[in-house]
Amino acid sequence: MPPTIAELEAVAAAGWRAPEQAPLGQWLLRAAEGFTGRANSALATGDPGMPLADALTGVCDWYAARGLAPLIAVPYPLGRPGDSDLDRFLDRRGWGTRAGPAIVMTAPTAGLARLRPAGEAELRPEPGPAWLDLYHGYRGLLPPIARRLLLSAPFQAFASIRRGGGTVAIGRVAVADGWGGLSAVAVHPGHRRTGLATAITAALAGAAAGQGAASLYLQVEEDNEAARTLYTRHGFTGHHGYHYRTAPADG
């Protein structure tokens, strides 16, 4: 049986675990010095255990105490943000949306691990300097807490492919609760459309399979047509969507 939205979001939270977390009923407050929205937002699945207005006050107070802007991650059925009672409530309260929405996609692990021989991709338990240089194009500008987040899952592996003496493709897989989460798949602009993303995906799927993960998930921006097309071709299907809500300037 497919996982519920709340179940899959809990798995993803375990694969990118913020160093500071606290429950608010069934919600999860997360803080990581502002690095990435996922690690610095309240994951709003289930019941916060109090009226929504009080829950928003609790969220705002918790993030204010850490010098962070209040941010709520709101998951919803695929393509239907209007189905979320919470999202409608936040909209009425003036909470805006940050950046574009994203889609969570899933696929069986076995088929992906067989996509392409992964021999050219090197797998390591930690990201090296060359991997970090290509990660989101930061090139040495990552804050110190980034490494802690990258190594925050029960198991993770980092894949890279080298060409011409340099690292040209990377990716990360995190395994938690029987699922493998793919992230940080990046290919150097000069080497795109050469199958490297597929090779990285296959290597990461193989690493997840080796840890007993039967299924994979990933998050992709809704308007990233190229990535969505690639992953759909390799067997991924949409599971649900999410976006971030930001508190109004006047609190």
Side-chain angles (χ1 to χ4, degrees), residues 18 28-32 36-44 59 62-63 68-74 244-245:
L28 181 65
L29 308 178
R30 305 171 290 186
T36 78
R38 180 162 287 270
N40 292 274
S41 58
L43 176 57
V59 168
W62 196 84
Y63 284 99
L68 297 171
L71 192 65
I72 299 180
V74 184
Y244 295 107
R245 286 281 186 175

Side-chain angles (χ1 to χ4, degrees), residues 26-28 30 41-47 72-75 84 86 90:
Q26 293 176 327
W27 291 12
L28 181 65
R30 305 171 290 186
S41 58
L43 176 57
T45 57
D47 185 351
I72 299 180
V74 184
S84 167
L86 171 63
L90 292 172

